[in-house]
Amino acid sequence: VTELPIAPNQTRPDDVLVLGAGLAGLTVGWELAAAGCRVRILDREAPGQATSRVAAGMLAPVTEAEPDDPQQLALGRAALARWPGYAAELEAASGIVVPLRRRPTLAVARDRDEAEALERFAGIRERLGLPVERLLPSAARTLEPALAPTLRGALAVPDEQAVDPRVVVRALAVAAGDAGARIATGPGSAVEELLHDGTRVTGARTADGLELRSEAVVIAAGSWSGRVPGLPGRDRLPVRPVKGQLLVLRDPQGPGMVERVLRFGAGYLVPRDDGRYVLGATTEERGFDHATTAWAVHDLLRDGAELVPGLLELELRETLAGLRPATPDGHPAIGPSPGLAGLWWATGHYRNGVLLAPLTGTLLADRMLGRPTDEALQAIVDPARPALTPTPEDARA
Ligand code: GLY
């Protein structure tokens, strides 16, 4: 942990505009407001409505990590380590209980191909020094009796957790507000133009005609981050939407049918404490389309029910689509823009926005306020890294 110098063009920002009231914007807003900054958070929708409410909430750095991406793993594991303390701080600050589901993830195989993939997954993680435990199908079914008898194999991945992102959004909005952040949402609070003088940001103009002056602007607008009106071409961070469709099912008998997060193929089942289950997810490159489709409902239920036949008895409560904000190298952008002074990013979290939320607030506030920080993690998320240089196409978008 070392002290990062504050670059000469980075004043301590007393007035900060945060564009986006999703998990990233709220966690940043809370952290900065708690540190004494004057913070205003803007969003065209109510907090968390665009993407955060759609997230499954897995805190899963090991099962989500690409095997060839040690940086993502390091970031995810650091983020997971923050979560228990963060949930406790958030509960204390908001008065809202933020339960963490702390049980090992079960990665399961439904057929021989998936069993081979599971063995590869286990081998790679073991070589990285990550604990995994191979389970016989019978042992997995003892843990989770709702699993189908046709199960071919399973791995328990310890330490992973899950949280309900909608609860986290509610708690963060209260905590940020109580710390002094002002949260303005609705169509009038949509940003019509980022204001700057060519070298540094000066604020933003909103749809209701207000010109809000600020020393710093943090863009935490998920998939829309590179498209804030008024952003100069060189500042158009290449963030693209990757659509994920998922279902929310509910057991009228209450919780307990499945207790652990289950991973299978490209899918997952995440139990909530109130008898709901999130069954996801598709991965689709379809731009800003967020329609829900019959085929996705079909495929998710077909695959999920092969694993847990009892899913077909549950109520189908919601069909959802969210847009994961993806960067070219898959890591988020958290920190100062290499272009306009006073412009900061907290975006590009792709599949790990919930996991990375606490760390995002801390890493960004460390840089903005010149606090001691973790330089290795800062390098992973640095918005100035070459992978995030806008292409001419991004600059025109
Ligand atoms: N983190 C799960 C997903 O993005 O689908």
Side-chain angles (χ1 to χ4, degrees), residues 56-58 64 244 246 263 268 280-283 324 350-353:
M58 291 176 288
E64 278 286 348
L246 36 77
R263 305 289 305 228
Y268 49 77
T282 65
T283 301
R324 307 174 181 95
Y350 191 41
R351 298 180 66 97
N352 291 299

Side-chain angles (χ1 to χ4, degrees), residues 288-325:
F288 285 89
D289 164 47
H290 56 261
T292 51
T293 61
W295 72 258
V297 176
H298 171 266
D299 286 6
L300 290 169
L301 281 174
R302 180 198 59 204
D303 291 354
E306 205 179 324
L307 184 66
V308 180
L311 288 184
L312 294 179
E313 308 293 326
L314 305 185
E315 296 168 358
L316 175 56
R317 298 300 286 250
E318 297 176 64
T319 56
L320 299 164
L323 300 179
R324 307 174 181 95

Side-chain angles (χ1 to χ4, degrees), residues 257-386:
M257 182 179 79
V258 173
E259 293 284 3
R260 291 160 185 78
V261 172
L262 303 179
R263 305 289 305 228
F264 51 98
Y268 49 77
L269 183 73
V270 182
R272 299 267 193 253
D273 290 346
D274 58 0
R276 285 176 302 142
Y277 294 87
V278 177
L279 177 63
T282 65
T283 301
E284 305 168 62
E285 298 272 359
R286 297 183 60 85
F288 285 89
D289 164 47
H290 56 261
T292 51
T293 61
W295 72 258
V297 176
H298 171 266
D299 286 6
L300 290 169
L301 281 174
R302 180 198 59 204
D303 291 354
E306 205 179 324
L307 184 66
V308 180
L311 288 184
L312 294 179
E313 308 293 326
L314 305 185
E315 296 168 358
L316 175 56
R317 298 300 286 250
E318 297 176 64
T319 56
L320 299 164
L323 300 179
R324 307 174 181 95
T327 60
D329 63 4
H331 304 162
I334 304 167
S337 165
L340 286 176
L343 180 63
W344 300 81
W345 296 102
T347 189
H349 295 80
Y350 191 41
R351 298 180 66 97
N352 291 299
V354 186
L355 171 65
L356 297 174
L359 196 60
T360 298
T362 305
L363 290 176
L364 191 75
D366 286 352
R367 293 297 301 271
M368 291 184 84
L369 304 175
R371 299 191 306 211
T373 194
D374 184 322
E375 284 203 64
L377 296 181
Q378 293 283 3
I380 297 172
V381 302
D382 184 0
R385 64 190 187 270

Side-chain angles (χ1 to χ4, degrees), residues 3-233:
E3 186 94 26
L4 265 188
I6 302 182
N9 64 358
Q10 291 168 24
T11 54
R12 266 171 203 271
D14 286 331
D15 282 287
V16 184
L17 283 181
V18 179
L19 310 190
L23 282 167
L26 291 170
T27 186
V28 163
W30 180 34
E31 184 107 18
L32 291 173
C37 298
R38 291 204 307 168
V39 176
R40 190 191 291 249
I41 304 174
L42 302 172
D43 202 308
R44 69 172 69 236
E45 293 186 77
Q49 286 305 297
T51 309
S52 301
R53 79 185 180 96
V54 179
M58 291 176 288
L59 310 179
V62 176
T63 48
E64 278 286 348
E66 299 291 337
D68 57 355
D69 192 346
Q71 291 192 322
Q72 187 199 7
L73 187 62
L75 194 64
R77 295 188 86 199
L80 181 62
R82 277 282 283 128
W83 255 104
Y86 190 79
E89 288 162 30
L90 192 51
E91 282 187 10
S94 67
I96 293 174
V97 180
V98 181
L100 292 178
R101 182 171 289 265
R102 300 184 195 218
R103 300 211 182 206
T105 301
L106 276 190
V108 296
R110 293 166 297 176
D111 55 30
R112 203 171 64 182
D113 285 353
E114 285 190 0
E116 285 170 7
L118 213 54
E119 190 43 46
R120 283 196 299 279
F121 173 95
I124 291 166
R125 266 91 189 152
E126 281 171 338
R127 281 194 290 286
L128 291 169
L130 301 171
V132 291
E133 186 192 349
R134 290 173 178 77
L135 296 177
L136 290 172
S138 55
R141 293 191 66 230
T142 303
L143 292 174
E144 292 291 355
L147 284 167
T150 49
L151 194 71
R152 289 296 292 259
L155 287 177
V157 182
D159 298 337
E160 295 197 331
Q161 302 175 22
V163 69
D164 184 341
R166 298 179 187 183
V167 174
V168 180
V169 164
R170 272 204 305 280
L172 275 173
V174 171
D178 284 356
R182 282 185 290 165
I183 305 175
T185 60
S189 296
V191 168
E192 288 212 322
E193 191 177 3
L194 178 79
L195 303 175
H196 61 87
D197 63 10
T199 55
R200 67 167 306 123
V201 296
T202 54
R205 184 162 41 76
T206 58
D208 55 15
L210 289 180
E211 288 209 350
L212 303 169
R213 297 282 154 185
S214 71
E215 288 181 50
V217 174
V218 180
I219 299 184
S223 292
W224 294 267
S225 294
R227 296 175 172 244
V228 172
L231 260 182

